[in-house]
């Protein structure tokens, strides 16, 4: 079937508009939509894909991609914000001071880090721990979405404002979101305070423990 010159010009102008819009958003590469969906890849392929990722500028300053760690069939998945310096150095999420506190919370639940799964929304460290940019979140989101699809947790614990707002597509504050279950694609989501917040505000530990008790009840785990 022949297409008229007018139709070709229309396609070119639509593509041009799309590319200009992406540039205005800060992208320096055009993502192949099929590639970024990652719908077919298994866990190891996904990890490999993330390890080689150059979809945003954070690849240039990272030491390691911090993909995620723990049980790939976990019922409980913790999702934080982004790696800090310690995590970037080790390539493992939550290994710094905030991570040690998260480990204590997990152990207080009579679980271990290798029984749950721990990941972040952003897989590479933002320089000087600045907030991730909108374009970085957008580039990185498909990895987390596929990770959740593969792990199929029964409960997700969203650590802090950033993970909770991203998963639940809301701008509500963490203080309003925490304490009760929400839903992400049929999975129960319990937002709670980020361990880094607890380091600055130890009084929040009581609320986090209340939230974790609800998570344990949902998973039929004994409450210590
Ligand atoms: N804070 C996070 O959100 N994630 C980490 O991995 C470490 C600190």
């Amino acid at each position: 079937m022949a297409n008229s010159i007018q139709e070709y010009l229309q396609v070119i102008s639509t593509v041009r508009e799309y590319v200009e819009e992406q540039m205005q958003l800060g992208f320096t590469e055009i993502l192949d939509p099929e590639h970024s969906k990652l719908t077919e890849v298994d866990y190891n392929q996904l990890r490999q894909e993330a390890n080689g990722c150059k979809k945003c500028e954070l690849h240039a300053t990272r030491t390691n991609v911090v993909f995620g760690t723990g049980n790939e069939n976990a019922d409980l998945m913790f999702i934080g914000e982004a790696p800090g310096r310690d995590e970037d150095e080790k390539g493992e999420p939550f290994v710094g001071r905030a991570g040690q506190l998260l480990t204590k919370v997990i152990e207080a639940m009579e679980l271990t880090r290798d029984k749950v799964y721990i990941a972040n929304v952003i897989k590479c460290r933002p320089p000087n721990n600045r907030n991730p940019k909108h374009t970085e979140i957008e580039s990185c989101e498909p990895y987390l979405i596929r990770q959740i699809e593969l792990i199929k947790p029964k409960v997700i614990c969203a650590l802090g404002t950033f993970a909770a707002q991203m998963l639940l597509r809301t701008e509500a504050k963490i203080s309003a979101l925490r304490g009760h279950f929400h839903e992400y694609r049929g999975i129960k989501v319990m937002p709670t305070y980020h361990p880094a917040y607890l380091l600055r505000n130890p009084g929040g530990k009581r609320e986090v423990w209340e939230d974790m008790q609800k998570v344990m009840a949902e998973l039929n785990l004994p409450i210590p």
Side-chain angles (χ1 to χ4, degrees):
M1 191 182 79
N3 290 314
S4 73
I5 302 255
Q6 278 311 321
E7 281 171 317
Y8 277 116
L9 288 176
Q10 182 56 50
V11 170
I12 290 166
S13 127
T14 308
V15 172
R16 192 189 172 92
E17 259 172 46
Y18 172 74
V19 172
E20 281 173 356
E21 200 180 279
Q22 296 292 297
M23 283 167 67
Q24 269 167 18
L25 285 170
F27 287 105
T28 52
E29 289 172 37
I30 298 300
L31 303 180
D32 169 358
E34 286 313 307
H35 182 73
S36 68
K37 272 192 210 148
L38 300 169
T39 44
E40 302 295 322
V41 303
D42 68 19
Y43 184 86
N44 288 330
Q45 288 168 328
L46 186 67
R47 179 188 276 276
Q48 249 179 24
E49 185 95 24
N51 282 343
C53 183
K54 292 187 175 175
K55 285 200 245 163
C56 80
E57 65 191 42
L58 297 181
H59 81 271
T61 47
R62 73 180 175 221
T63 313
N64 285 296
V65 172
V66 181
F67 180 68
T69 190
N71 180 353
E72 291 157 36
N73 298 304
D75 286 342
L76 175 58
M77 182 168 180
F78 289 91
I79 302 179
E81 179 175 329
R85 196 185 52 211
D86 297 316
E87 290 77 20
D88 175 61
E89 268 170 23
K90 282 207 170 168
E92 198 179 319
F94 284 100
V95 291
R97 275 185 71 224
Q100 284 159 22
L101 185 49
L102 176 63
T103 304
K104 280 193 188 161
V105 172
I106 292 170
E107 287 171 355
M109 298 168 83
E110 297 188 338
L111 292 168
T112 52
R113 282 175 67 107
D114 56 6
K115 290 211 175 93
V116 301
Y117 193 89
I118 308 173
N120 284 307
V121 174
I122 296 282
K123 310 294 188 216
C124 296
R125 182 192 183 205
N128 304 316
N129 299 344
R130 66 157 167 75
N131 286 337
K133 295 180 187 168
H134 182 69
T135 49
E136 293 160 356
I137 301 165
E138 232 176 78
S139 306
C140 218
E141 207 175 33
Y143 294 116
L144 180 65
I145 292 174
R146 185 66 185 144
Q147 243 169 339
I148 296 171
E149 278 172 3
L150 289 164
I151 292 161
K152 302 189 188 68
K154 294 198 173 99
V155 173
I156 292 174
C157 177
L159 298 167
T161 310
F162 187 83
Q165 291 188 342
M166 178 260 168
L167 282 174
L168 303 174
R169 297 284 192 256
T170 175
E171 292 189 355
K173 287 186 177 167
I174 188 69
S175 52
L177 295 169
R178 63 149 292 276
H180 55 276
F181 283 108
H182 302 252
E183 208 184 281
Y184 169 82
R185 299 188 182 191
I187 302 169
K188 299 249 167 152
V189 177
M190 174 61 77
T192 198
Y193 293 129
H194 192 286
Y197 168 85
L198 294 184
L199 290 173
R200 297 188 303 271
N201 303 277
K205 287 183 189 172
R206 191 179 47 81
E207 282 141 304
V208 169
W209 185 237
E210 282 168 14
D211 300 344
M212 292 309 104
Q213 286 179 317
K214 289 181 186 161
V215 167
M216 286 184 275
E218 183 62 33
L219 293 171
N220 293 317
L221 293 171
I223 298 180

